[in-house]
Amino acid sequence: MKLCFIGADHEVTGSCHYLEVGDKHILVDYGMEQGRISFEHVPLPVSEAEIDYVFLTHAHIDHSGNLPLLYARGFRGKIFMTRPTADLCSIMLRDCAHIQMQEAEWRSRKGKRNKDIKQIEPLYSMEDADNTLRHIVACDYGTKIDICEGVTIRFTDIGHLLGSASIEVWVSEKGAEKKIVFSGDIGNNDQPLIKDPAFTSTADYVVMESTYGDRYHASEKPDYVGELAEILNRTFARGGNVVIPSFAVGRTQEMLYFLRTIKKDGLVTAVSDFPVYVDSPMAVEATEVFGEHARECYDEEAMALINQHINPISFPGLNLAITTEESRAINEDETPKVIISASGMCEAGRIRHHLKHNLWRPESTILFVGYQSIGTTGRAIVEGADEVKLFGEVVDVEAEICKLTGLSGHADKAGLIRWLQGFSDKPRKVFVVHGEDGVCSSFAKCLDEEYGYNSYAPYSGTEFDIISGQIIKEGVPVTAVKKTTKVVSDVFTRLRAAGARLTAIIARSEGMTNKDKAKFADQILALCDKWED
Ligand SMILES: [Zn+2]
Ligand SMILES: [Zn+2]
């Protein structure tokens, strides 16, 4: 039995771990790398076609985004996740496929006019995303699920995103049993709507994230509702709009939660019945999913409202499900309003139209509620750019630029340590992953020196023997050749993957009758004859 580290090692995105138990090959998360990449990933130890199961911690693309690629390259096994994660995945994976197909199409069109622009195939198609969804097994929190002989799992709410989970994995082989706990992304205490992270009591080995392993959130929780009400009051008094670029899943619903409180308590006097538009089809779908899983996922405060038949993320004046025409009309009407739209970093989507209509207006406000990566339009605006380019047009920045800081879906250093201390006995080893290069190393060092753990921050390629508890191979950091992700798929890789799938089927064909084996061989040979020259 072994555990191999593939992705999100000394990096934050591209989560992927590999488990081998008996003849079964298992992945925990299969995420896409996003933004800046520091290190290369080692390839999977077996072909995609030979992966039997995937256990998914949550729906964020850096954990789930490559699942359709796994399918496209021959995976036909089962993907286990919680019910809310399954619903969110069906929105997010399809959206991800859509973005990639658009980008590939855009580049192909440009490539026809400019030979320097390489034509690309999308990494995977909408069909791949749809087919992936058919392999999902939606599970309940807190129930032990027997996957196959020697593998049992259980999902526990980790309070990071609706449906997010840590996963306990019991593995056994030849009478030896061990338990590994994968933390997934550990949530922040007191996030609106969803529960706080739950603890797990026992583990032999723990694989945990360390995004904020070097930082502490403000000790006093900011008064988000008060701050937001103030911004709304002064913007509306000027006759402007408040435009909020927001991630469609998670942050948008938190903003709706705050806005409901503001409306109920009458905190905005300038225009008390102000309309709120959620102008992002994905955000609207995600908001519905939140409503459907309230009983499983909401915290006490949100449940108290549900029990009084109040939807915590809805209120009079909220406009959802907006058509493209309605989206355009939003800016023709002069009533001061709140517009929440995606994408959160202003890189794509309808938010760009709203920026075009509001950035140059001194009476409007652009309110940022999430992290802005280097190189994005959102980052440029936050850092005080005088003008930005939108749809090929230069737009002056005259609007008030605000930030609602402190909102975070991740535990800080204290929260990470608190979660680890929830185990009744110290795990034998703690693997620290999902943190920037310096952060995961310093967090592992702190766990060892200040808290007496035995921890290790593996590089991609590290292999660990689960029975002996020994690292059998240490990964070596290989600096990434390409510094940022680009959606690239070369067709040759697809062909090679198809070949690997064929080999995997042959390896499994032992039980076939001799007649079938002969027929199969004939078909392969005929195919070879056809393509050989
Ligand atoms: Zn996440
Ligand atoms: Zn993550």
Side-chain angles (χ1 to χ4, degrees), residues 58 62-63 185 434:
H58 65 291
D62 66 312
H63 294 256
D185 286 3
H434 197 296

Side-chain angles (χ1 to χ4, degrees), residues 70-273:
L70 196 68
Y71 177 87
R73 292 185 175 171
F75 166 78
R76 294 295 181 271
K78 288 179 182 161
I79 313 169
F80 294 85
M81 62 188 75
T82 66
R83 280 174 210 289
T85 297
D87 286 348
L88 289 180
C89 269
S90 82
I91 303 171
M92 294 171 84
L93 293 181
R94 299 188 82 247
D95 181 70
C96 197
H98 179 71
I99 291 170
Q100 290 175 56
M101 287 167 75
Q102 256 184 343
E103 160 119 5
E105 195 193 301
W106 177 83
R107 287 181 73 93
S108 304
R109 243 187 292 134
K110 285 231 159 181
K112 281 188 190 140
R113 297 192 291 268
N114 180 348
K115 280 201 187 68
D116 292 337
I117 295 179
K118 244 175 94 182
Q119 301 225 3
I120 58 163
E121 286 270 311
L123 195 58
Y124 51 78
S125 66
M126 188 61 80
E127 206 184 338
D128 293 325
D130 281 333
N131 284 327
T132 303
L133 300 176
R134 286 191 248 284
H135 290 255
I136 288 178
V137 182
C139 309
D140 289 323
Y141 280 120
T143 308
K144 277 193 175 182
I145 304 147
D146 291 323
I147 304 297
C148 60
E149 201 192 317
V151 184
T152 299
I153 65 168
R154 182 164 62 189
F155 293 98
T156 302
D157 196 339
I158 198 73
H160 163 70
L161 174 76
L162 193 88
S164 68
S166 62
I167 311 177
E168 294 166 275
V169 184
W170 289 265
V171 291
S172 66
E173 200 179 276
K174 295 180 193 131
E177 188 179 283
K178 290 283 180 275
K179 181 179 169 192
I180 310 162
V181 175
F182 295 86
S183 74
D185 286 3
I186 301 171
N188 192 5
N189 271 359
D190 297 327
Q191 260 172 266
L193 287 168
I194 60 172
K195 287 179 185 152
D196 285 345
F199 299 113
T200 300
S201 58
T202 60
D204 292 301
Y205 310 113
V206 166
V207 178
M208 77 179 290
E209 69 120 330
S210 61
T211 317
Y212 287 161
D214 64 341
R215 264 171 286 174
Y216 294 99
H217 296 321
S219 55
E220 213 155 290
K221 209 179 121 197
D223 173 19
Y224 300 118
V225 168
E227 269 183 59
L228 184 57
E230 228 171 80
I231 294 166
L232 263 52
N233 264 319
R234 65 171 185 261
T235 308
F236 293 165
R238 297 193 296 255
N241 298 326
V242 175
V243 176
I244 308 179
S246 173
F247 296 102
V249 182
R251 193 53 44 84
T252 292
Q253 291 73 32
E254 290 178 9
M255 297 316 294
L256 294 179
Y257 186 77
F258 297 146
L259 287 165
R260 194 200 76 87
T261 311
I262 287 173
K263 288 228 174 203
K264 177 190 61 93
D265 296 345
L267 300 179
V268 170
T269 45
V271 185
S272 61
D273 58 347

Side-chain angles (χ1 to χ4, degrees), residues 245-436:
S246 173
F247 296 102
V249 182
R251 193 53 44 84
T252 292
Q253 291 73 32
E254 290 178 9
M255 297 316 294
L256 294 179
Y257 186 77
F258 297 146
L259 287 165
R260 194 200 76 87
T261 311
I262 287 173
K263 288 228 174 203
K264 177 190 61 93
D265 296 345
L267 300 179
V268 170
T269 45
V271 185
S272 61
D273 58 347
F274 63 92
V276 175
Y277 293 87
V278 177
D279 190 12
S280 149
M282 183 165 151
V284 171
E285 280 186 68
T287 303
E288 275 169 31
V289 173
F290 268 69
E292 284 159 20
H293 295 283
R295 289 200 182 272
E296 277 162 277
C297 302
Y298 280 8
D299 62 11
E300 274 174 35
E301 236 176 274
M303 270 320 289
L305 294 170
I306 296 272
N307 290 334
Q308 295 167 58
H309 306 287
I310 298 168
N311 182 346
I313 49 175
S314 186
F315 43 79
L318 174 62
N319 299 281
L320 299 166
I322 298 156
T323 64
T324 323
E325 291 78 57
E326 286 165 331
S327 172
R328 284 202 200 98
I330 292 174
N331 287 293
E332 279 159 24
D333 156 38
E334 308 242 300
T335 325
K337 57 183 84 67
V338 174
I339 304 165
I340 303 173
S341 187
S343 73
M345 298 193 200
C346 315
E347 283 295 277
R350 291 183 183 175
I351 186 66
R352 294 170 74 84
H353 287 280
H354 300 300
L355 289 175
K356 192 177 135 187
H357 285 283
N358 289 280
L359 261 180
W360 56 273
R361 294 180 63 196
E363 59 272 32
S364 285
T365 296
I366 315 299
L367 172 62
F368 289 90
V369 294
Y371 177 74
Q372 304 297 311
S373 286
I374 298 168
T376 59
T377 307
R379 179 70 165 246
I381 298 172
V382 166
E383 288 187 338
D386 295 328
E387 52 183 43
V388 291
K389 232 176 161 182
L390 293 162
F391 307 105
E393 202 180 296
V394 175
V395 180
D396 290 339
V397 181
E398 296 288 340
E400 185 185 341
I401 308 300
C402 289
K403 263 163 67 178
L404 205 58
T405 50
L407 286 162
S408 174
H410 283 276
D412 64 357
K413 188 174 177 181
L416 294 173
I417 293 169
R418 199 182 317 124
W419 178 78
L420 192 57
Q421 287 176 330
F423 288 91
S424 50
D425 290 311
K426 278 199 175 86
R428 288 187 211 184
K429 206 170 197 65
V430 179
F431 293 97
V432 179
V433 299
H434 197 296
E436 289 294 348

